[in-house]
Amino acid sequence: KHWLPQENIIRYVRSTGNLFSDDDYSYVKNMENYINSLNETESLYLTGHSLGGGLAAVLGAKVNRQSIGFSAPGATYLSGKFDFNLETLRSTSSVIYVHGDVVPAIDAHGGLIQKLDADCGGINECHNL
């Protein structure tokens, strides 16, 4: 369970995100525009590892395309900053990570979550599998 209601955390992230200029996040808008320029009937899966997987989840929710993140942080609390619907995140996002990896513990995940058990030997090793 979260120690604060999810809505309060989303509002906090939105407000702290305003400390940065929109130019700091222009890569998200550029990628969103590119994805929206593609033919909607073509299959497209957004993928990434670590931060790239978190970005894939954000973009997937914004453009309603499937995303698969490997050892990615969650994206739930970013919905306020990047203006996407949590229901869309839940229907488009998948994440796969090894139990013991700390990066996926950042933020809350939406959608499908697959945790793998592995004897990885440590935090860095778990993240790099």
Side-chain angles (χ1 to χ4, degrees), residues 56-89:
V58 167
L59 285 165
K62 287 185 71 62
V63 299
N64 199 25
R65 298 280 189 130
Q66 294 297 308
S67 69
I68 304 169
F70 300 93
S71 295
T76 298
Y77 305 143
L78 294 174
S79 65
K81 172 61 184 169
F82 291 106
D83 193 31
F84 60 83
N85 183 292
L86 290 178
E87 287 304 315
T88 306
L89 178 68

Side-chain angles (χ1 to χ4, degrees), residues 10-90:
I10 291 169
R11 273 191 229 106
Y12 174 76
V13 170
R14 180 184 300 130
S15 69
T16 58
N18 291 334
L19 297 173
F20 303 98
S21 72
D22 285 340
D23 289 341
D24 294 329
Y25 300 105
S26 62
Y27 60 91
V28 173
K29 190 64 176 167
N30 290 340
M31 293 178 73
E32 180 182 359
N33 290 338
Y34 175 74
I35 294 166
N36 284 330
S37 75
L38 300 174
N39 186 338
E40 285 187 25
T41 61
E42 293 181 43
S43 293
L44 174 69
Y45 292 89
L46 304 167
T47 65
H49 174 261
S50 197
L51 182 58
L55 181 57
V58 167
L59 285 165
K62 287 185 71 62
V63 299
N64 199 25
R65 298 280 189 130
Q66 294 297 308
S67 69
I68 304 169
F70 300 93
S71 295
T76 298
Y77 305 143
L78 294 174
S79 65
K81 172 61 184 169
F82 291 106
D83 193 31
F84 60 83
N85 183 292
L86 290 178
E87 287 304 315
T88 306
L89 178 68
R90 289 182 188 108

